[in-house]
Structures are given as structure tokens and as C-alpha cells.
Amino acid sequence: MSAVFIDEVRAARDLLRDVAVPTPLISSRVLSELIGGPVLLKCENLQRTGSFKIRGAYVRIARLSEDERARGVVAASAGNHAQGVALAASMLGCRSTVFMPVGAPLPKIAATKGYGAQVRFPGPTVDDCLVAAEKHAEETGAVFIHPFDHLDVVAGQATIGLEILEQCPDVATVVGAVGGGGLMSGVAAAVKGAAKELGRDSGVKVIGAQAKRAAAFPPSLAAGVPVRVELQPTMADGIAVGRPGDITYGLVSELVDAVVTVTEESISQALLLCLERAKQVVEPAGAAGVAALLEHSYAVKPPVVVLLSGGNIDPLLLSKVLRHGLAGAGRYLVVRCRLKDRPGALVTLLSELAELGVNVLDVMHERVAARLHVEEAEVLMHLETRGADHSEDVIGRLRAKGYTLTLS
């Protein structure tokens, strides 16, 4: 398939030449040290609309007939595909309607409207939006632009693979997020097809990463057919897809070497790493590839290219995810501490923390509660530490001084 499809990818790249930005490839020292070889980050978070989705959306709409574009287009998305379709439609002079989940991030909603789309909210999941968008297409004649399950969309996303080979000709492994499969099936087709043309017999290994709470590909690959799974809440809403596409399932099963799952903790730590160490603002779904390296470093061979597939994150969610990541790294503690209800007890506790080098972010002091004895008080504290070892030292030394601690 990759040998046949590579010509379609090159044609898609010609369409995108003045539309999509060739995004940079930057080195990550911390990830390179983790796996013992070069790791580079492909920054699609810096792409127009903040994600790779403009590539596939533009190719799909550009290949419609004039009559089809005159009827308008409709899409369903948690945000990134929505923005890609809205901008592509605007650039190509056609109307767009986008169905987004209730509770979609406000910046993504605002950006989608800003690019000219009419936005509707049919339900809480992307699958609800897909059903509503397909119904709208039947009723109005608008062309449904699927977020992943169409060869034109896959060809557009696959242009990333050509850029990767040009920027890192000796790449051995490519890792990236998988939702419905459009991105990594396209990248796999491009890098494997182009590598084969270059005579690289060993080819390139391609690994997809799914949020463990929304992982439809592993059971589908095990069953040999696309299967639907029940989605659990995940911060990586952009890749929370309950069933692989028929087209993308076939491509992933043929071309992607492995699909691994990653935990919420790994995703939040990956996002924190991208922000702190690579200076890249990435949304949780966009950091899934980095999370895969943190959890499954044994599975890759360097040089490795990791796709940062999107950077559209609500600032409020970013603050929550960063605290989640800091907690996972042992740098943020939420502690309940019992102490005697007497003058100076709280000051003494805070002085102890200061001597231990702890930054107290927040304190809530409670003196009357059914769970407390008359002579007791309880303090809920949000603490910033220097890492897991420091956190353990702080907890151990406070307990040694007689404090009763409960970690939240």
C-alpha cells in the first residue's frame, strides 16, 4: 500500500505548498538521554491552526468539485479538525458547519468560529458529533469531511512523513498519537514508501500511542476488525475516538508496527516535559507520543522522531494538567496535617517546612469538624518540592517530628 500511496502523498504536498508550514524538527536532550540516542520533536503544534489537521482538511476540500464546494462542507471534531476544516473551507471559498462536543475547549470553539465556521453542539462525545454531522450532510447536501477515514485526509496528514525523511534522513523510529488513525497511518505510508524508494531495506519503524482510557486500536488489532470500545474520561480529548475508521484500520494494521497505550500520568508528565525542557506548548493529545517514550522507551530504536501533533490547549486545563504532571514527578504535594489546636502550632509547622526548603502554595486551616478531637486542628496544604526524593524526605521528617500526615 505504501508504494502505491506515496504518489498520492506527493500530489497532496503540491496542493499544500502555500498552505501548510513545513514545521521544525528540534532535538530533545532529556529524551535522547532516556533512550540512549537522538530524539527529535516534529513540532506540528506550530502548524497553522495549531495542529496537523489543516493538511488533511485542505487536501480533502480542495479535491471536491465546484458543485460539491458550493453545497458547503460539514465536520465533527473535538477542536483541531474543526479548525482545520473551518480555515480550509474559508481559503477555498465554501461554507462550513462544524459539530463539536459539549464542553469542548473554549479556545478551540472561538478559533473555529473565527475561521468562519458555524458551530453546533449535539452531545458530549466526538461520536455524537459524527452522527449529527452525517445526518446534517444527508439533510442539506453538504459534503461530510471525515476527521480521519478518507484517503484524501490521510494523504494530507502523510505529508508530515515526507518532511520527516527530508529533515532526518536516517530516522529509525517515528512515534505519534493515534485517535482514529489518520495521522499515523498516513505518516507510516509516507516514511515506509519513501524509505523503500531510497533503498533502505530495514525501513522505518512506526509506533502509535493511544490514551489508555480511550484505546480502540489494540482490541481492534487483536480482533482483526475495527471494534468499538467504551471511552473513559481522558485529558487527551483530541484522540478519544471509540472506533477506528475502516480505511485507517486497514492502513494501521498493515503499516504501523505497534500501537501502545499511555496513562494519564504519563501524558501529564510528557506535557510538562515539553513545556519545561523543549519550550513547546502542547495539548495532552499532542504529547501522547512523548508519553509513549516515557513508558515504552524499550520499543524504539534511535534516531527517533516524535510528533507533537497539536498545541491547542485551554489555559485553565493547562494549569490543571501541569499540576497533575508536577504531582506525578513528585514536585507537588497535597497534604493534610493534624496538629494541636494551640497558639503557635501553625507557625511552627510552617517554619519546619521553610527549613526543609518547601514552598507553601496554599493553606486551609480547619479547627472545628466532626472528625477532629476538641484539642486538634487540621491543615490542608499545597506544597511545591524539588522532586520525588525531596518529597519523601519532607514527609519522613515531618512524621518523625510527630505530625500525622495524610497525602491527597
Side-chain angles (χ1 to χ4, degrees), residues 187-269:
V187 168
V191 297
K192 289 179 183 255
K196 187 174 182 180
E197 288 181 346
L198 294 171
R200 290 185 53 182
D201 295 333
S202 61
V204 181
K205 187 176 184 180
V206 178
I207 298 175
Q210 289 206 290
K212 195 170 187 177
R213 291 183 171 183
F217 263 101
S220 296
L221 293 170
V225 292
V227 298
R228 183 172 296 280
V229 299
E230 184 176 347
L231 299 178
Q232 299 177 50
T234 173
M235 67 179 74
D237 64 304
I239 53 174
V241 178
R243 181 187 184 278
D246 294 326
I247 292 172
T248 54
Y249 170 80
L251 289 168
V252 168
S253 61
E254 178 185 352
L255 299 171
V256 175
D257 297 276
V259 178
V260 300
T261 62
V262 293
T263 64
E264 299 296 292
E265 290 72 20
S266 292
I267 294 171
S268 62
Q269 289 181 43

Side-chain angles (χ1 to χ4, degrees), residues 21-67:
V21 177
T23 51
L25 206 61
I26 63 174
S27 177
S28 170
R29 184 177 62 82
V30 64
L31 291 175
S32 298
E33 291 175 353
L34 174 68
I35 70 162
V39 175
L40 301 108
L41 305 176
K42 178 65 170 166
C43 299
E44 282 294 295
N45 57 309
L46 303 179
Q47 184 57 259
R48 294 183 70 173
T49 74
S51 87
F52 69 95
K53 288 289 191 175
I54 182 62
R55 297 175 184 260
Y58 189 90
V59 171
R60 175 76 173 102
I61 298 172
R63 288 178 174 173
L64 296 177
S65 67
E66 290 186 11
D67 177 65

Side-chain angles (χ1 to χ4, degrees), residues 1-341:
M1 180 67 190
S2 57
V4 176
F5 193 56
I6 193 67
D7 290 335
E8 286 295 313
V9 180
R10 291 196 175 100
R13 191 175 193 185
D14 289 338
L15 277 175
L16 292 169
R17 201 162 298 278
D18 296 323
V19 176
V21 177
T23 51
L25 206 61
I26 63 174
S27 177
S28 170
R29 184 177 62 82
V30 64
L31 291 175
S32 298
E33 291 175 353
L34 174 68
I35 70 162
V39 175
L40 301 108
L41 305 176
K42 178 65 170 166
C43 299
E44 282 294 295
N45 57 309
L46 303 179
Q47 184 57 259
R48 294 183 70 173
T49 74
S51 87
F52 69 95
K53 288 289 191 175
I54 182 62
R55 297 175 184 260
Y58 189 90
V59 171
R60 175 76 173 102
I61 298 172
R63 288 178 174 173
L64 296 177
S65 67
E66 290 186 11
D67 177 65
E68 287 173 321
R69 285 204 293 271
R71 300 201 303 268
V73 297
V74 59
S77 168
N80 287 341
H81 180 62
Q83 292 173 70
V85 168
L87 177 59
S90 177
M91 295 174 74
L92 291 163
C94 67
R95 300 185 313 276
S96 61
T97 302
V98 177
F99 290 85
M100 301 180 73
V102 174
L106 294 178
K108 293 184 179 183
I109 296 171
T112 302
K113 291 180 177 179
Y115 290 130
Q118 182 183 34
V119 179
R120 301 182 184 179
F121 305 95
T125 71
V126 174
D127 289 335
D128 293 328
C129 296
L130 286 170
V131 172
E134 289 172 343
K135 182 179 179 182
H136 178 86
E138 292 174 2
E139 293 174 348
T140 66
V143 179
F144 177 54
I145 308 300
H146 200 284
F148 49 84
D149 208 31
H150 193 284
L151 284 177
D152 287 342
V153 173
V154 175
Q157 324 302 28
T159 58
I160 298 170
L162 297 183
E163 289 182 19
I164 288 172
L165 280 180
E166 290 170 358
Q167 294 168 315
C168 182
D170 60 341
V171 60
T173 310
V174 179
V175 186
V178 174
L183 171 62
M184 294 311 291
S185 63
V187 168
V191 297
K192 289 179 183 255
K196 187 174 182 180
E197 288 181 346
L198 294 171
R200 290 185 53 182
D201 295 333
S202 61
V204 181
K205 187 176 184 180
V206 178
I207 298 175
Q210 289 206 290
K212 195 170 187 177
R213 291 183 171 183
F217 263 101
S220 296
L221 293 170
V225 292
V227 298
R228 183 172 296 280
V229 299
E230 184 176 347
L231 299 178
Q232 299 177 50
T234 173
M235 67 179 74
D237 64 304
I239 53 174
V241 178
R243 181 187 184 278
D246 294 326
I247 292 172
T248 54
Y249 170 80
L251 289 168
V252 168
S253 61
E254 178 185 352
L255 299 171
V256 175
D257 297 276
V259 178
V260 300
T261 62
V262 293
T263 64
E264 299 296 292
E265 290 72 20
S266 292
I267 294 171
S268 62
Q269 289 181 43
L271 190 147
L272 179 62
L273 185 150
C274 288
L275 185 63
E276 278 195 319
R277 306 302 295 271
K279 314 308 176 191
Q280 297 297 312
V281 176
V282 184
E283 63 192 271
V290 175
L293 241 61
L294 298 179
E295 281 197 52
H296 307 281
S297 59
Y298 60 86
V300 303
K301 176 184 176 182
V304 180
V305 171
V306 183
L307 298 179
L308 304 183
S309 53
N312 295 312
I313 184 168
D314 187 308
L316 292 176
L317 175 61
L318 178 61
S319 67
K320 292 179 182 179
V321 173
L322 288 178
R323 284 198 172 187
H324 194 272
L326 288 168
R331 294 167 53 191
Y332 181 81
L333 288 175
V334 180
V335 180
R336 290 186 180 275
C337 180
R338 295 278 179 96
L339 63 162
K340 295 295 182 180
D341 186 16

